[in-house]
Amino acid sequence: MLYFSFVHPHISYGVEIYANTYTSYLDRVLKLNNKLLGILQQKDNNCRNIELYVNYNILPITELHCFQILCIVHKFTYHNELLPKIYHNYFTENYKIHDYDTRNKNNLHLSTLIFVTGLGQ
């Protein structure tokens, strides 16, 4: 209960943004989170990190980041009305950009509007 009350909300908030970097930049946060999970579960230093996450049924930060991004893409594709309005023009299907019949025509493309104006604002 301590972990889910005080730590997990801070880690999961904004993970889509701050975890979108090199793992070396996240190294201190990852190690601190692993150490905290080990202390709360009273495990020794030889315990594998994956056990710490499995025992609490949570994802490591890097996998949590991937999961959150996948949730955004899923909502964009199938439930666009559930996304905040800022994300409605975040992606564009490739076939809307060019006329070529390619294998990737149904893939999503980041909108250039985002890079120019900062998330379409």
Side-chain angles (χ1 to χ4, degrees):
M1 288 177 58
L2 285 172
Y3 181 80
F4 288 105
S5 297
F6 295 111
V7 179
H8 193 67
H10 291 284
I11 288 176
S12 60
Y13 181 77
V15 72
E16 304 92 340
I17 297 170
Y18 79 81
N20 192 24
T21 186
Y22 297 110
T23 308
S24 60
Y25 294 156
L26 290 174
D27 197 42
R28 282 182 68 190
V29 175
L30 296 172
K31 287 181 181 178
L32 186 62
N33 192 44
N34 293 342
K35 187 172 186 172
L36 184 60
L37 285 171
I39 291 170
L40 290 173
Q41 296 178 33
Q42 299 175 349
K43 301 287 184 176
D44 59 353
N45 290 341
N46 297 332
C47 180
R48 293 180 20 186
N49 290 336
I50 193 69
E51 289 179 36
L52 301 173
Y53 291 96
V54 168
N55 289 341
Y56 274 24
N57 197 24
I58 57 175
L59 293 171
I61 295 173
T62 53
E63 281 80 13
L64 182 63
H65 171 253
C66 292
F67 177 74
Q68 292 296 88
I69 296 296
L70 287 172
C71 287
I72 290 173
V73 170
H74 182 269
K75 283 181 185 176
F76 178 83
T77 306
Y78 298 107
H79 306 287
N80 203 347
E81 70 280 354
L82 297 177
L83 282 174
K85 288 185 180 185
I86 197 167
Y87 288 112
H88 286 189
N89 296 324
Y90 198 74
F91 300 106
T92 307
E93 291 85 0
N94 279 340
Y95 70 86
K96 292 181 180 176
I97 296 173
H98 58 74
D99 296 339
Y100 306 112
D101 191 20
T102 64
R103 287 179 288 199
N104 300 323
K105 68 180 179 183
N106 293 325
N107 288 357
L108 295 177
H109 181 80
L110 278 177
S111 204
T112 55
L113 180 66
I114 295 165
F115 297 115
V116 174
T117 62
L119 292 178
Q121 292 180 350

